[in-house]
Amino acid sequence: QVLSEGSVEFVTLANNHVLDYGQQGYDDTKAAVDAVGVAYAGRDEWTVYETERGLRIGVYAVSFGTDEQIRAGIAAVKDAGADFIIAALHWGDEGSYRVNDTQRAQGHLAIDAGADFVYGSHPHTLQPSEEYNGHYIYYSMGNWTFGGNTNPRDKDTFILRLTVERAADGTVSVSYTHLRAH
């Protein structure tokens, strides 16, 4: 309920703890977000979320996915007719401030496969971002929320607001607003 009351409209469930309570726990989590009207993409899953203005935002989410999973997931979102594609990749080395080789390679792969924006989670630290082929990759955005850990070691977080719009000619543009919180 706190998600919908806080105006959260979409979440990803692709992370290394989603099966801590087995398949039943995962199914219960999906039912809970369904019950409050929050859309989601689960483990190696995708969805297309349609805004009030009819813009179709596709999100593909995976936790420690393979290159082939990422390619296939983004292709599925593209085939479903998304106007703007987000790849939400749970990856990297926990506690590290450096982007590892797999993150960089898969971030580039996701853009090359058709993602318009890539963001990562798992390290629980701020990591660099980069522009690649005209699109942005945010490798790790910190600790916005961290489940049962009420006092994480590193409290820095990065909140990014994307404004995605479709022009009259059908082209889609995005602008970014950065907020850094502690």
Side-chain angles (χ1 to χ4, degrees):
Q1 192 65 37
V2 71
L3 294 175
S4 61
E5 289 174 4
S7 299
V8 173
E9 298 174 12
F10 189 91
V11 297
T12 65
L13 304 178
N15 65 71
N16 56 308
H17 291 289
V18 75
L19 291 175
D20 283 357
Y21 293 93
Q23 187 63 45
Q24 185 62 52
Y26 181 56
D27 293 343
D28 290 349
T29 299
K30 292 192 296 186
V33 293
D34 278 338
V36 295
V38 174
Y40 65 88
R43 306 170 35 240
D44 191 25
E45 294 178 8
W46 61 270
T47 192
V48 176
Y49 173 81
E50 191 165 335
T51 68
E52 292 174 357
R53 294 184 177 176
L55 187 66
R56 296 173 51 83
I57 307 292
V59 181
Y60 168 67
V62 69
S63 180
F64 297 103
T66 65
D67 292 357
E68 188 50 43
Q69 284 176 300
I70 294 167
R71 275 190 207 95
I74 292 170
V77 175
K78 194 184 304 184
D79 289 347
D83 298 309
F84 187 84
I85 299 173
I86 298 170
L89 307 178
H90 188 83
W91 58 5
D93 300 316
E94 191 165 327
S96 176
Y97 297 94
R98 294 188 176 164
V99 176
N100 69 34
D101 292 341
T102 300
Q103 285 172 279
R104 189 166 318 279
Q106 288 185 337
H108 292 185
L109 177 145
I111 298 294
D112 292 341
D116 296 297
F117 176 73
V118 177
Y119 81 89
S121 60
H122 180 69
H124 298 283
T125 57
L126 291 177
Q127 289 185 338
S129 62
E130 77 170 297
E131 184 176 353
Y132 172 76
N133 285 345
H135 301 281
Y136 284 96
I137 303 167
Y138 284 78
Y139 287 100
S140 178
M141 295 171 49
N143 266 326
W144 180 63
T145 183
F146 191 4
N149 187 344
T150 59
N151 190 22
R153 173 183 58 83
D154 185 334
K155 295 173 184 63
D156 281 346
T157 195
F158 191 86
I159 299 170
L160 180 66
R161 179 179 173 175
L162 299 165
T163 303
V164 181
E165 298 176 312
R166 182 182 16 233
D169 68 0
T171 59
V172 175
S173 66
V174 62
S175 61
Y176 301 85
T177 305
H178 305 102
L179 297 171
R180 184 171 177 172
H182 298 278

